[in-house]
């Protein structure tokens, strides 16, 4: 089951979080060597329009189960003030599962 987390970000800010996937069977960390990750932000769950795509970078050693989820200031500048939905999916062969999901709240910036 995916971890449900709400993120809050200001327009034009860098968004970068560290996430770690645990192995439910062993209680340790999942080796993510053979997994690819994708993540998207949308206005709601049913819209086809993509608001943003996360850049996801696996950390070494990949047996640590850790990865960064990022959006650049340019990416967040293109988002309007609102509450979006997002998820992060990991895939390896026929195995696919969401590891993070929830709301992505964007606040306007007053400093320009």
């Amino acid at each position: 089951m995916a971890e449900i987390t709400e993120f809050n970000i200001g327009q034009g800010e860098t968004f970068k979080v560290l996430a770690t996937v645990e192995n439910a069977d062993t209680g340790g960390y999942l080796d993510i060597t053979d997994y690819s990750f994708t993540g998207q932000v949308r206005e709601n769950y049913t819209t086809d329009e993509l608001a943003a795509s996360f850049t996801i970078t696996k950390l070494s050693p990949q047996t640590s189960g850790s990865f960064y989820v990022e959006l650049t200031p340019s990416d967040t500048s293109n988002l309007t003030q609102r509450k979006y939905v997002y998820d992060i999916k990991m895939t390896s062969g026929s195995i696919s599962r969401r590891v993070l999901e929830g709301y992505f709240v964007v606040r306007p910036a007053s400093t320009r």
Side-chain angles (χ1 to χ4, degrees):
M1 182 174 177
E3 177 76 26
I4 299 173
T5 304
E6 181 174 308
F7 294 114
N8 289 275
I9 185 74
Q11 282 179 314
E13 293 180 358
T14 300
F15 174 78
K16 185 174 185 178
V17 296
L18 175 65
T20 303
V21 182
E22 294 180 355
N23 186 326
D25 295 331
T26 66
Y29 300 114
L30 182 67
D31 182 349
I32 59 174
T33 301
D34 295 328
Y35 287 88
S36 62
F37 290 81
T38 56
Q40 298 178 338
V41 179
R42 295 184 187 272
E43 287 188 13
N44 59 58
Y45 289 106
T46 59
T47 187
D48 289 333
E49 184 178 331
L50 182 64
S53 290
F54 294 111
T55 298
I56 300 174
T57 308
K58 296 189 283 185
L59 301 181
S60 293
Q62 293 182 10
T63 54
S64 71
S66 296
F67 58 95
Y68 280 119
V69 178
E70 301 177 67
L71 290 175
T72 66
S74 176
D75 293 330
T76 63
S77 290
N78 291 328
L79 298 173
T80 59
Q81 176 187 356
R82 66 174 298 127
K83 182 185 265 189
Y84 294 89
V85 295
Y86 79 93
D87 61 16
I88 307 294
K89 187 190 316 184
M90 61 183 236
T91 306
S92 178
S94 63
I95 298 170
S96 180
R97 73 177 216 205
R98 283 181 291 175
V99 292
L100 277 173
E101 67 177 312
Y103 293 105
F104 193 82
V105 181
V106 177
R107 301 177 323 276
S110 58
T111 301
R112 290 172 182 59

